[in-house]
Amino acid sequence: MNKKDKILIIGAGLCGSLLALRLAQRGYKVEVYESRPDLRTVDISAGRSINLALSDRGLKALRLCGMEEKAREICIPMYGRLMHDRGGNTFSSNYSGRENEYINSISRGDLNAILLDEAEKHENVTIYFNKKCKKVDIEKNIAYFKDYNTKEEFPVIADVIFGADGAGSSLRKSYISERKFLFSYSQNYLNQGYKELEIPADKSGNHQISKAHLHIWPRGDFMLIALPNMDGSFTVTLFLSYDEGEFNFENLTSEEKITEFFEKEFPDALALIPNIKEEFINNPTGALGTVKCSPWFYQNKTLLIGDASHAIVPFYGQGMNASFEDVFVLDEILCHFERSREIFDWKSIFKAYQKARKDDTDAIADLAIDNFHEMKNHVANPLFKEKRKIEMDLEKTFPTEYSSKYSLVTFNENIGYNEAMKKGRAQDKALLNLISGDEVHTHLDMTKEELKVILDKVTKETNDILQEDKIAGL
Amino acid sequence: MNKKDKILIIGAGLCGSLLALRLAQRGYKVEVYESRPDLRTVDISAGRSINLALSDRGLKALRLCGMEEKAREICIPMYGRLMHDRGGNTFSSNYSGRENEYINSISRGDLNAILLDEAEKHENVTIYFNKKCKKVDIEKNIAYFKDYNTKEEFPVIADVIFGADGAGSSLRKSYISERKFLFSYSQNYLNQGYKELEIPADKSGNHQISKAHLHIWPRGDFMLIALPNMDGSFTVTLFLSYDEGEFNFENLTSEEKITEFFEKEFPDALALIPNIKEEFINNPTGALGTVKCSPWFYQNKTLLIGDASHAIVPFYGQGMNASFEDVFVLDEILCHFERSREIFDWKSIFKAYQKARKDDTDAIADLAIDNFHEMKNHVANPLFKEKRKIEMDLEKTFPTEYSSKYSLVTFNENIGYNEAMKKGRAQDKALLNLISGDEVHTHLDMTKEELKVILDKVTKETNDILQEDKIAGL
């Protein structure tokens, strides 16, 4: 490989545009083809404002590319969850006991736009819009595109092709259809779908409910969540079964039934969503799928990256962060190879990248599924609440010694998702069993000494659990 | 549904022919289409004799259909593993401490033949051979076939279609390609492939090594196994990486290298495989894949069954047993519906069947992967060996009170795979930690009292583990 290689990136979404930017900064020649129109000139959101949670892993990658500050300008910090019960009562649960640990609501479109702007400042980057990748000949390294404006189809040949084309990746589909190698692949759908709604800003353009929280209406089998937007509105998302329970997407077909459902389950939210009926009927019901696959690369020619290689459900707020971290990890490997070796090829880079990354993206996929059950269920469970209270106290009192699973995953960008998952799960198990077995006790004003006793018990029990799993070969 | 429904079964392999037989016994009208020629009249094994392990779950289903005794006539009991080291030394490890618990080597072709014979005795069964299913229109319930003899293509319409067409199921492919519903699907390949070889009978037609064992040559990263055939031969299977390690399928391309590999790793086996070079070069290298999917059914029209719905790797010897057990479980549900309800439809049956069965087939898929690592690795590990010795003693001394994971999976056909997995894994973890922590001690002649102490410790520790997992929501 060398820097004269022609690099083709399929997809100019969040991952594709950050990857283009970083490769350009490293001196590579990059062409990017995106199926959608340029979101900086055409409103492609159909009136809806889609937001995402940006946290430390994503920020780490943005920092690498010099984009952290620009991103922070369009961020709304969310310090915790605000839970809403059926009676309209709320209680909050912080994401961390440490100050300065919070997640950020950010507009997907706005973030994408600043990344495209920055990438295009580099003359070694060219971005084409309205060019849909139909398939890739992975042997000859030719991607076939259709121009949505002219309807013409045309091939693009490249030395290296990156598939940053999201959960429905056409490069990944070509891996499956071309059958040139054994491709392990999974797509798993939850039995719940989602639908987006909107809480508009008030007349003064302000947020109608706390913008410093991620709002959750947990109801066991389903839930509603809301994230703030810069314009004072909230994007609300309903997660609901397709076909099970009293209310589900299959039977919520009439305006009466929709209203009945919201009146019964989310009366306070209903009062804030003026266009509920139109939005519910007109907005599409989205599927919640997890995609895993392996290998991500074919020879020295192509690599899947971001959602194309590991699409996950949104419940840990890590989808974008994981994709940005992909770029960070790939950059580390490029850097290492460029520095330490005289001759190397893309295959070695791809292989090293997948080896460094695969366990971590598998882990966040599984964690995201776990968090679905936690958000709609456990957040209202007394045992879980007590665990969270203890964890907040521990993080506050021993900020360098304790991190909850959530903190390990979200705020500890220097350890991988897999390590965060293993340690976090063992800690959760330790704490839940200590609480359930009456071995730790809490009250409102815990002293540092009392908390130290709990910290020591949790640490010992966590290490025992990890050690026992290790001996059992788990 | 009623018994006049036209039922189409795609595939007359082991699962399809047992299903046809059972549905015929229940009075249904069944047509079966099989892509291969009739194996009772044409030798389709290309000179190789493929055998499988038949055990209690498979025998339970055969018993239901009145086929147990006929199957037992062609069984060779294997009471344990016989491990071969590089020096040609062997040591054995029984499958159970109880007498009368053993697995059976059986010819796939011979077993399939007796099932076909029995099914065809029913006039409500018709079996067509050389008819390859190309695709299924799942909305209209039409299966499209190609006749391999006449080359003609023709449709078959049916009220209900069962896809018993194995790991490469065309019904399952139609579920994917037709995109009528959210289909969760995974195919996962091991990095190891397999190749079949043969140890022929001696000049008198006898077995050259013990026919009462499943032979294993465990070598950590790869292994050789051998199962006996009725004609005195053994079918030998090499499991080896495609591209890793000093020797792998990619680099074993010359006769010299093949011989070097076997001389170094399997000298005693090499001496018994006269045609090693021809067989190694001419026999195909097979892939080892796991397939999971959901839902198995579409509306009231089609159902995947056997390998078509859950293909697994062969390391627990449960592939055929799981498919036969599918037929048993489906039959239970049919029986229950027929007895208890006046009106019911196939969709309710399919739904109840998947609900009863899915966790169990997921479990055996995972157990089979675990056992791959155990067979090639742990069987030679001292901790594992001590665990097996204790378990054999416990099963022998307390036959009604203790069953190892292997026994729960293989010989306890009245509990599901999932329960066997959960209990078995907890027991393994308990025992390995007790041994490793020096909390149980063994010697050659353990008394009943000494073993009772171990049994109590293992039971308590296992229950603690299960309880702690439950509290942690695992």
Side-chain angles (χ1 to χ4, degrees):
Chain A
M1 61 169 281
N2 68 65
K3 299 216 168 169
K4 288 179 189 157
D5 280 347
K6 175 173 165 184
I7 293 176
L8 167 62
I9 298 175
I10 308 170
L14 292 170
C15 183
S17 54
L18 189 70
L19 177 65
L21 171 58
R22 188 58 197 157
L23 290 175
Q25 289 172 337
R26 295 199 76 88
Y28 293 94
K29 215 171 67 187
V30 183
E31 287 184 11
V32 189
Y33 287 78
E34 166 60 43
S35 64
R36 288 165 300 183
D38 186 344
L39 51 76
R40 296 166 297 179
T41 55
V42 181
D43 181 4
I44 57 173
S45 68
R48 287 172 300 135
S49 175
I50 304 305
N51 48 29
L52 297 163
L54 175 64
S55 54
D56 295 42
R57 293 177 195 273
L59 287 163
K60 172 181 68 173
L62 290 171
R63 194 177 310 133
L64 172 75
C65 305
M67 291 301 291
E68 182 182 8
E69 289 317 309
K70 280 192 183 151
R72 286 202 188 266
E73 286 168 16
I74 52 172
C75 277
I76 303 176
M78 297 182 290
Y79 297 91
R81 297 164 170 164
L82 193 71
M83 256 77 76
H84 298 246
D85 72 13
R86 284 190 184 81
N89 308 302
T90 60
F91 64 95
S92 69
S93 168
N94 281 359
Y95 281 123
S96 168
R98 280 173 290 268
E99 286 180 21
N100 298 320
E101 284 189 349
Y102 52 84
I103 62 176
N104 301 280
S105 180
I106 193 167
S107 153
R108 169 193 282 270
D110 293 349
L111 178 57
N112 208 155
I114 63 173
L115 293 174
L116 290 170
D117 282 346
E118 194 68 21
E120 282 192 334
K121 286 183 188 164
H122 294 77
E123 55 181 29
N124 46 340
V125 173
T126 319
I127 307 176
Y128 304 91
F129 293 95
N130 291 305
K131 312 275 185 288
K132 165 72 184 166
C133 180
K134 308 297 282 181
K135 65 174 181 184
V136 179
D137 181 328
I138 61 173
E139 210 60 68
K140 296 184 181 153
N141 242 27
I142 303 174
Y144 293 88
F145 292 92
K146 178 171 184 172
D147 188 311
Y148 276 153
N149 292 330
T150 65
K151 312 292 174 205
E152 277 180 304
E153 303 209 0
F154 61 95
V156 177
I157 191 161
D159 295 303
V160 182
I161 300 178
F162 287 93
D165 47 348
S169 171
S170 54
L171 176 58
R172 198 185 65 228
K173 284 178 187 161
S174 298
Y175 281 4
I176 296 173
S177 62
E178 289 212 10
R179 301 172 68 97
K180 301 275 184 193
F181 58 99
L182 290 181
F183 187 52
S184 292
Y185 170 72
S186 71
Q187 58 183 42
N188 282 295
Y189 295 99
L190 295 181
N191 191 40
Q192 277 85 359
Y194 71 93
K195 192 176 287 280
E196 280 158 348
L197 307 165
E198 193 197 23
I199 296 176
D202 67 15
K203 283 171 189 168
S204 326
N206 295 322
H207 292 90
Q208 299 197 61
I209 50 177
S210 164
K211 70 167 180 174
H213 289 94
L214 189 156
H215 296 261
I216 311 183
W217 290 257
R219 297 292 181 267
D221 290 332
F222 49 91
M223 68 172 168
L224 200 66
I225 69 167
L227 276 77
N229 297 312
M230 298 276 280
D231 65 1
S233 69
F234 281 83
T235 302
V236 179
T237 311
L238 171 68
F239 297 96
L240 178 70
S241 171
Y242 289 105
D243 55 7
E244 288 178 356
E246 186 188 352
F247 298 99
N248 56 56
F249 280 121
E250 270 186 18
N251 69 27
L252 283 177
T253 48
S254 69
E255 293 192 1
E256 294 69 36
K257 191 132 192 193
I258 293 162
T259 311
E260 182 195 342
F261 175 50
F262 274 78
E263 272 172 356
K264 182 178 171 194
E265 299 290 347
F266 314 113
D268 56 342
L270 179 62
L272 300 169
I273 310 175
N275 300 319
I276 177 103
K277 290 166 201 166
E278 295 75 8
E279 289 177 356
F280 200 98
I281 290 168
N282 296 330
N283 291 350
T285 304
L288 296 164
T290 300
V291 171
K292 294 179 181 172
C293 63
S294 179
W296 291 336
F297 58 97
Y298 181 59
Q299 296 178 354
N300 58 346
K301 297 173 180 171
T302 57
L303 177 72
L304 297 169
I305 192 164
D307 282 5
S309 52
H310 49 73
I312 66 179
V313 294
F315 304 105
Y316 228 110
Q318 286 294 321
M320 166 179 61
N321 293 289
S323 293
F324 282 177
E325 202 177 45
D326 283 358
V327 176
F328 185 93
V329 173
L330 180 68
D331 183 76
E332 276 188 322
I333 288 173
L334 273 170
C335 187
H336 174 77
F337 271 71
E338 286 184 8
R339 274 191 199 151
S340 64
R341 306 198 188 181
E342 301 211 347
I343 300 169
F344 53 90
D345 59 42
W346 284 103
K347 185 179 175 183
S348 306
I349 290 179
F350 296 162
K351 206 169 180 174
Y353 165 71
Q354 177 165 344
K355 193 168 155 48
R357 193 68 183 138
K358 177 78 167 110
D359 286 348
D360 287 329
T361 58
D362 284 351
I364 192 59
D366 296 345
L367 284 164
I369 303 270
D370 291 352
N371 226 36
F372 176 47
H373 301 293
E374 182 172 317
M375 285 174 80
K376 66 187 172 62
N377 227 326
H378 294 189
V379 285
N381 168 321
L383 196 61
F384 178 84
K385 275 190 191 169
E386 176 145 15
K387 178 175 87 72
R388 284 304 289 171
K389 187 194 167 306
I390 293 173
E391 292 194 288
M392 290 307 101
D393 284 346
L394 290 177
E395 290 193 335
K396 194 172 181 179
T397 315
F398 306 102
T400 61
E401 289 165 72
Y402 191 82
S403 287
S404 71
K405 182 175 78 183
Y406 190 87
S407 291
L408 291 167
V409 170
T410 309
F411 307 122
N412 282 251
E413 72 272 23
N414 296 321
I415 67 169
Y417 286 123
N418 191 40
E419 191 187 335
M421 178 177 75
K422 285 194 172 157
K423 186 171 178 191
R425 283 183 173 173
Q427 254 176 204
D428 281 355
K429 187 173 173 179
L431 251 170
L432 289 168
N433 274 285
L434 287 169
I435 297 167
S436 158
D438 249 352
E439 292 177 62
V440 304
H441 303 273
T442 56
H443 51 85
L444 268 182
D445 294 300
M446 299 285 287
T447 65
K448 187 164 183 177
E449 289 66 38
E450 286 172 317
L451 285 166
K452 183 71 171 67
V453 173
I454 296 182
L455 177 65
D456 290 344
K457 279 186 186 173
V458 173
T459 306
K460 186 190 174 304
E461 189 68 19
T462 301
N463 290 336
D464 285 354
I465 288 169
L466 289 169
Q467 177 64 13
E468 281 166 19
D469 282 352
K470 197 176 165 190
I471 288 170
L474 300 174
Chain B
M1 63 169 279
N2 68 66
K3 300 216 167 169
K4 285 178 189 161
D5 281 347
K6 177 173 163 183
I7 293 176
L8 166 62
I9 297 175
I10 308 170
L14 292 169
C15 183
S17 54
L18 189 68
L19 176 65
L21 171 56
R22 187 58 197 158
L23 289 176
Q25 289 173 338
R26 294 197 77 88
Y28 293 93
K29 215 172 68 186
V30 183
E31 285 185 11
V32 190
Y33 286 78
E34 164 61 41
S35 65
R36 290 165 297 185
D38 187 344
L39 52 74
R40 294 166 299 180
T41 56
V42 181
D43 181 3
I44 57 173
S45 67
R48 288 173 299 137
S49 175
I50 305 304
N51 48 31
L52 298 164
L54 175 63
S55 53
D56 295 42
R57 292 176 197 273
L59 288 163
K60 171 181 67 173
L62 291 169
R63 194 178 309 132
L64 172 76
C65 306
M67 293 301 292
E68 181 181 8
E69 288 318 307
K70 279 191 183 152
R72 285 201 187 267
E73 285 169 17
I74 53 172
C75 279
I76 304 176
M78 299 182 289
Y79 297 90
R81 297 164 169 164
L82 194 71
M83 257 77 76
H84 298 246
D85 71 14
R86 284 188 184 82
N89 308 302
T90 59
F91 63 97
S92 68
S93 168
N94 281 0
Y95 283 120
S96 168
R98 281 173 287 270
E99 284 180 22
N100 297 320
E101 284 189 346
Y102 52 83
I103 64 176
N104 301 281
S105 180
I106 192 166
S107 154
R108 169 192 281 270
D110 292 350
L111 178 57
N112 207 343
I114 61 173
L115 293 175
L116 290 170
D117 282 345
E118 195 68 21
E120 282 192 331
K121 286 182 188 164
H122 294 77
E123 55 181 33
N124 46 339
V125 173
T126 319
I127 307 176
Y128 302 92
F129 294 95
N130 292 306
K131 312 275 186 290
K132 165 71 184 167
C133 180
K134 308 297 282 182
K135 65 175 181 184
V136 179
D137 180 329
I138 61 173
E139 210 59 67
K140 296 184 181 151
N141 243 25
I142 302 173
Y144 292 89
F145 292 91
K146 178 170 184 174
D147 188 310
Y148 277 152
N149 292 331
T150 65
K151 311 292 175 201
E152 276 179 303
E153 303 207 1
F154 61 95
V156 177
I157 190 161
D159 295 300
V160 183
I161 300 178
F162 288 91
D165 47 348
S169 169
S170 54
L171 176 57
R172 199 184 63 230
K173 284 178 185 160
S174 298
Y175 280 5
I176 296 173
S177 62
E178 290 212 12
R179 303 170 68 96
K180 302 274 185 195
F181 59 98
L182 290 180
F183 187 51
S184 293
Y185 170 71
S186 71
Q187 58 183 40
N188 283 294
Y189 295 99
L190 295 181
N191 192 38
Q192 278 85 357
Y194 71 93
K195 195 176 283 282
E196 280 159 347
L197 307 165
E198 191 197 27
I199 297 176
D202 68 14
K203 283 172 189 165
S204 326
N206 294 322
H207 292 90
Q208 298 198 58
I209 50 179
S210 164
K211 68 167 179 174
H213 290 93
L214 189 156
H215 295 261
I216 311 184
W217 290 256
R219 296 293 181 266
D221 291 331
F222 48 91
M223 69 171 169
L224 199 68
I225 70 168
L227 277 77
N229 297 312
M230 299 277 279
D231 65 2
S233 68
F234 280 83
T235 300
V236 179
T237 310
L238 170 67
F239 297 95
L240 178 69
S241 171
Y242 288 107
D243 55 8
E244 288 178 356
E246 185 186 352
F247 298 98
N248 57 55
F249 279 121
E250 269 185 17
N251 70 26
L252 283 177
T253 47
S254 71
E255 292 193 0
E256 295 69 34
K257 191 130 193 199
I258 294 162
T259 312
E260 183 195 343
F261 174 52
F262 273 78
E263 273 172 355
K264 183 179 169 196
E265 299 291 346
F266 315 112
D268 56 341
L270 180 62
L272 300 170
I273 309 175
N275 301 318
I276 177 100
K277 292 167 204 166
E278 296 76 9
E279 288 177 352
F280 199 98
I281 291 167
N282 296 329
N283 291 349
T285 303
L288 296 163
T290 300
V291 172
K292 293 178 183 173
C293 62
S294 179
W296 289 338
F297 58 97
Y298 182 60
Q299 296 179 350
N300 59 346
K301 298 171 179 173
T302 57
L303 177 74
L304 297 168
I305 192 165
D307 282 4
S309 51
H310 50 73
I312 65 179
V313 294
F315 305 106
Y316 228 109
Q318 286 293 322
M320 166 178 62
N321 293 289
S323 293
F324 282 178
E325 202 177 44
D326 282 357
V327 176
F328 185 91
V329 173
L330 180 67
D331 182 77
E332 277 187 321
I333 288 173
L334 273 171
C335 187
H336 173 76
F337 272 71
E338 285 183 10
R339 272 188 201 155
S340 64
R341 305 195 190 184
E342 298 211 347
I343 301 170
F344 52 90
D345 58 39
W346 283 102
K347 185 178 177 185
S348 306
I349 290 180
F350 296 162
K351 205 167 182 176
Y353 165 70
Q354 176 165 344
K355 192 168 156 50
R357 192 66 182 140
K358 177 78 167 105
D359 286 349
D360 287 329
T361 59
D362 283 351
I364 191 60
D366 297 344
L367 283 164
I369 302 271
D370 291 352
N371 226 38
F372 176 47
H373 302 292
E374 180 171 319
M375 283 175 80
K376 68 189 175 53
N377 227 329
H378 294 191
V379 286
N381 168 320
L383 196 61
F384 178 85
K385 274 190 190 166
E386 176 146 14
K387 178 175 88 72
R388 284 303 290 171
K389 186 194 168 307
I390 292 172
E391 292 195 286
M392 291 306 102
D393 284 347
L394 290 178
E395 290 192 336
K396 193 171 181 180
T397 315
F398 306 102
T400 60
E401 289 164 71
Y402 191 82
S403 286
S404 70
K405 182 173 78 181
Y406 189 88
S407 291
L408 290 168
V409 171
T410 310
F411 306 122
N412 282 250
E413 72 273 24
N414 295 323
I415 67 168
Y417 285 124
N418 191 41
E419 188 186 337
M421 178 177 76
K422 285 194 171 157
K423 185 170 179 190
R425 283 184 174 172
Q427 250 175 209
D428 281 355
K429 187 173 174 182
L431 251 170
L432 289 166
N433 274 286
L434 287 168
I435 296 166
S436 159
D438 249 351
E439 293 176 63
V440 304
H441 303 272
T442 56
H443 51 85
L444 269 181
D445 295 299
M446 298 286 285
T447 64
K448 187 167 183 177
E449 289 67 35
E450 288 173 313
L451 285 166
K452 184 70 170 67
V453 173
I454 296 181
L455 176 66
D456 290 344
K457 280 187 187 173
V458 174
T459 306
K460 184 187 174 310
E461 189 69 19
T462 301
N463 289 337
D464 285 353
I465 288 169
L466 290 170
Q467 178 64 13
E468 281 165 20
D469 282 351
K470 197 177 166 190
I471 288 169
L474 300 175

